[in-house]
Amino acid sequence: MTEPLDVAGLQRRLAEFAAARNWQPYHTPKNLAAALSVEASELVEIFQWLTPEESARVMADADTAARVTDEVADVLAYLLQLCEVLGIDALAALDAKIDRNERRFPAP
Amino acid sequence: MTEPLDVAGLQRRLAEFAAARNWQPYHTPKNLAAALSVEASELVEIFQWLTPEESARVMADADTAARVTDEVADVLAYLLQLCEVLGIDALAALDAKIDRNERRFPAP
Amino acid sequence: MTEPLDVAGLQRRLAEFAAARNWQPYHTPKNLAAALSVEASELVEIFQWLTPEESARVMADADTAARVTDEVADVLAYLLQLCEVLGIDALAALDAKIDRNERRFPAP
Amino acid sequence: MTEPLDVAGLQRRLAEFAAARNWQPYHTPKNLAAALSVEASELVEIFQWLTPEESARVMADADTAARVTDEVADVLAYLLQLCEVLGIDALAALDAKIDRNERRFPAP
C-alpha cells in the first residue's frame, strides 16, 4: 500500500472506493449521516446490557474486541465520507472544538 | 499550539482535557459509545426533513455549515475518546476495514 | 376532547395535526424513521452519564421526570406516524412479536 | 390469548416475559433507552440508501414489509418496557404532548 496511514489518505481511499463502485449517488450528506448513526448504534448494541465494569473489559475477549474495532472503523468510514462530500476538515473541526471547550469548561 | 494536528495529538489533548476535569469515571466504554451515538443523531437531526438535494447544499448556509462542522467534531471527539479507553488505533482499524471491503466488494 | 385515549385515536389526532399543517410531504417513511431515532437518542442523552442506580431514580426529580416523559411522547408520536404512513398496526405487530419471542426464548 | 390487545395488556405481557426470564436486572432505564435507540436505528438502516420515493413503497415488498413491521414491534416493546420501569403512561404522555403542540404550532 502506498497511501500514508493518515486521515487524508484514508479519506481519499474511501472516496476512490465509492467512485469505483458508482456509489456516489447514494452518498448524499443526509444518507451518510444516517449511515453514521446506524453504525454508532451497532457500537452501542455491543454495550447495551453490560454493566459499566463489564464494558471496561470488552477488549479482553478476542471476538468482542474484533467486533468493537470493526464498528469503530465503520463509524470513522462514514464520518470521513460525510466530511468528503461536505468539504469539512474533521481534524481542524475537532481542534477548534477543543479550543472552545477549554474556554467553556475551564480546568479547576 | 504545540501539538501536531493529527489523530494521535488530538486524542492526547482530549485525554488530558478529560483528566484535568476528573471526567474519567464517566468515560466508561459504554457511556462513550452512547454519547457517540447521541452526537451522530444530532447530525442526523440537521438533515432529517431535507430532501436529498437540500442536504447536498447545507454548507452554503453559514449557520448550518457551522452547526454541521460542530457536530462532526463532537462525533470524532467521542470516537477518539472511546478508542483511547479501549486501546484501539482508529486509523489502523479503518485501513484494515477498507482492505477487507476491497475483497468483499470487488470493483466492477 | 372527544377522541378516546387509545393508540388508534392518538394516531388519528397526529395524522390530522400533520395534515392541517401540510406536513405530509415531509413525512416520508425514511424521514419519520430518522426523526424517531433522533428522539430515541434524546432519551439516551438524559441517561448517558448516569450510573445504573442513578438511572433508576430519574423520576424522583420533577424536571428530569418531565423531560423523560416528553421524550417518550416524542418517540411514540413518530412511531405512530410511521405506522400511519406505512399502514402498520403497531399493537398487532408487537403482539405477534411477543408470541414469537415466547417460542424463541422459552421460560426456564 | 386472554389479554386484551391494548397498550396496558401488551405492557403487562412484556413485564411478565422479562420477569419469567429474570431479565429485570438488565432492564435499567439507561439500558432500555439504549436498546430502544438501537432498535430505532435498525429501522433507519432499512431506509438509509433509499430515495424518498423508494421509502414510500417499502410495504410493497413482502420481505421488507415483514422486516419493517418487526422493527416497529421492537421499538414499541422497548418503549413500553421503559415506561413500565419508570411508571410513565405513554398514551397520556402523548396526549398531553399533542395538546402542547397544538398551542405551539397553531394550524394556519
Side-chain angles (χ1 to χ4, degrees), chain C residues 97-106, chain D residues 13 17 21:
Chain C
K97 177 85 186 203
I98 302 175
D99 286 346
R100 282 200 302 283
N101 279 347
E102 281 174 347
R103 288 189 297 271
R104 205 174 139 205
F105 305 102
Chain D
R13 271 189 87 190
F17 186 93
R21 284 150 190 84

Side-chain angles (χ1 to χ4, degrees), chain A residues 6-89:
Chain A
D6 64 8
V7 164
L10 289 165
Q11 193 166 318
R12 201 159 48 239
R13 271 189 87 191
L14 289 164
E16 289 164 3
F17 186 93
R21 285 150 190 83
N22 294 312
W23 287 355
Q24 298 111 321
Y26 298 98
H27 285 191
T28 62
K30 181 182 174 103
N31 288 0
L32 289 169
L36 170 66
S37 81
V38 167
E39 296 301 335
S41 283
E42 292 184 4
L43 209 37
V44 171
E45 193 180 11
I46 300 174
F47 296 101
Q48 68 187 346
W49 305 121
L50 303 187
T51 63
E53 296 72 29
E54 288 166 342
S55 93
R57 292 192 302 265
V58 286
M59 303 304 280
D61 177 73
D63 284 352
T64 312
R67 203 174 146 210
V68 171
T69 304
D70 196 55
E71 298 299 350
V72 162
D74 284 338
V75 170
L76 184 57
Y78 283 120
L79 185 66
L80 294 185
Q81 290 179 94
L82 180 65
C83 287
E84 176 77 16
V85 299
L86 293 177
I88 292 174
D89 179 332

Side-chain angles (χ1 to χ4, degrees), chain C residues 31-54:
Chain C
N31 289 359
L32 290 169
L36 169 66
S37 80
V38 167
E39 296 301 335
S41 283
E42 292 185 3
L43 209 37
V44 171
E45 192 180 12
I46 300 173
F47 296 101
Q48 66 186 347
W49 305 121
L50 303 186
T51 63
E53 296 71 29
E54 289 166 343

Side-chain angles (χ1 to χ4, degrees), chain C residues 14-94:
Chain C
L14 289 165
E16 289 165 3
F17 185 93
R21 285 149 190 84
N22 293 313
W23 287 355
Q24 299 111 319
Y26 299 97
H27 284 192
T28 63
K30 181 182 174 104
N31 289 359
L32 290 169
L36 169 66
S37 80
V38 167
E39 296 301 335
S41 283
E42 292 185 3
L43 209 37
V44 171
E45 192 180 12
I46 300 173
F47 296 101
Q48 66 186 347
W49 305 121
L50 303 186
T51 63
E53 296 71 29
E54 289 166 343
S55 94
R57 292 192 300 264
V58 287
M59 302 305 281
D61 176 73
D63 284 351
T64 312
R67 202 174 146 212
V68 171
T69 304
D70 197 54
E71 298 299 349
V72 161
D74 284 338
V75 170
L76 185 56
Y78 283 119
L79 186 67
L80 295 185
Q81 289 179 94
L82 180 66
C83 288
E84 176 78 15
V85 299
L86 292 177
I88 291 174
D89 180 332
L91 298 185
L94 177 52

Side-chain angles (χ1 to χ4, degrees), chain B residues 69-87:
Chain B
T69 304
D70 196 54
E71 298 299 349
V72 162
D74 284 338
V75 170
L76 185 56
Y78 283 119
L79 186 65
L80 295 184
Q81 290 179 95
L82 180 66
C83 288
E84 176 76 16
V85 299
L86 293 177

Side-chain angles (χ1 to χ4, degrees), chain D residues 25 29 51 69 75 105 108:
Chain D
T51 63
T69 304
V75 170
F105 305 103

Side-chain angles (χ1 to χ4, degrees), chain A residues 1 5 7 13 20-21 29-30 44 47-48 50 55 59 70 74 86 95 97 99-100 102 105 107-108, chain B residues 1 5 7 13 20-21 29-30 33 44 47-48 50 55 59 70 74 86 95 97 99-100 102 105 107-108:
Chain A
M1 201 188 89
L5 195 56
V7 164
R13 271 189 87 191
R21 285 150 190 83
K30 181 182 174 103
V44 171
F47 296 101
Q48 68 187 346
L50 303 187
S55 93
M59 303 304 280
D70 196 55
D74 284 338
L86 293 177
D95 190 55
K97 178 84 187 205
D99 287 346
R100 283 201 301 284
E102 282 174 347
F105 305 103
Chain B
M1 200 189 89
L5 195 56
V7 163
R13 272 188 87 192
R21 286 151 189 82
K30 181 181 173 103
V44 171
F47 296 102
Q48 67 186 349
L50 303 187
S55 94
M59 302 304 281
D70 196 54
D74 284 338
L86 293 177
D95 190 55
K97 177 84 187 204
D99 287 347
R100 282 201 301 282
E102 282 175 345
F105 305 102

Side-chain angles (χ1 to χ4, degrees), chain A residues 26 31, chain C residues 28-30 86, chain D residues 46-60 64:
Chain A
Y26 298 98
N31 288 0
Chain C
T28 63
K30 181 182 174 104
L86 292 177
Chain D
I46 300 174
F47 296 101
Q48 66 186 348
W49 305 120
L50 303 186
T51 63
E53 297 71 29
E54 288 166 344
S55 93
R57 292 193 300 265
V58 287
M59 303 305 280
T64 312

